[in-house]
């Protein structure tokens, strides 16, 4: 499992690849808590998962607890979640029909689709600089198939 996080302009991003084990989940939860402390109006969030299975019930609860502990989530201009699994995208879309986050959210098939949508949420989002940030931080990112 690999978790890499970063920031590019107004975009906070996280990339997860491989099996979602408990250690990586705790790292992701810690990232969410750190990120929530520096949220300012207009920030956008991009979470990318590649070849990651669905989180367990306990892992989902950890994510929800981390998000619920942040009083600033309503300041987020948009959250895009990229999942390279058609089944995963469908499940999260269905979940979002029932549980609405306090910010606009979209489940996407590719990083480009996600960044194009985030740019509609905040014109300061520069998709090419976010992709460059990801490519620098995640070896082999540009070679991944979506």
């Amino acid at each position: 499992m690999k978790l890499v996080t970063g920031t590019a302009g107004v975009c906070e991003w996280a990339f997860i690849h491989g099996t979602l084990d408990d250690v990586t989940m705790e790292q992701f939860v810690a990232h969410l808590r750190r990120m929530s402390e520096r949220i300012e109006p207009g920030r956008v969030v991009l979470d990318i998962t590649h070849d990651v299975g669905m989180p367990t019930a306990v892992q989902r609860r950890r994510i929800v607890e981390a998000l619920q502990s942040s009083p600033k989530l309503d300041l987020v201009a948009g959250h895009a979640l990229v999942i390279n699994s058609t089944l995963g995208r469908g499940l999260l879309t269905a979940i979002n029909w029932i549980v609405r986050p306090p910010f606009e959210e979209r489940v996407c098939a590719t990083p480009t689709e996600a960044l194009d949508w985030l740019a509609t949420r905040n014109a300061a989002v520069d998709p090419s600089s976010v992709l460059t940030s990801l490519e620098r931080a995640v070896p082999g990112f540009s070679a991944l198939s979506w």
Side-chain angles (χ1 to χ4, degrees), residues 3 21-31 33 58 62:
L3 169 69
D21 57 34
D22 290 337
V23 171
T24 304
M25 178 53 66
E26 288 309 310
Q27 292 171 342
F28 183 66
V29 167
H31 157 73
R33 291 177 197 256
V58 171
R62 295 287 294 134

Side-chain angles (χ1 to χ4, degrees), residues 3 20 25 29-30 44 70 73 75 83 88 97 114 124 127 131 133 137 142-143:
L3 169 69
L20 190 56
M25 178 53 66
V29 167
V44 297
S70 173
L73 287 183
L75 300 178
I83 304 173
W97 289 339
L131 286 173
S133 175
S142 59

Side-chain angles (χ1 to χ4, degrees), residues 35-36 39-45 67-79 100-105 121:
M35 182 186 64
S36 70
I39 291 294
E40 297 174 3
R43 300 287 290 177
V44 297
V45 178
L67 293 174
Q68 287 177 336
S69 70
S70 173
K72 298 181 179 183
L73 287 183
D74 60 328
L75 300 178
V76 172
H79 172 243
R100 299 299 304 166
F103 42 78
E104 291 293 320
E105 184 171 64
R121 306 299 307 148

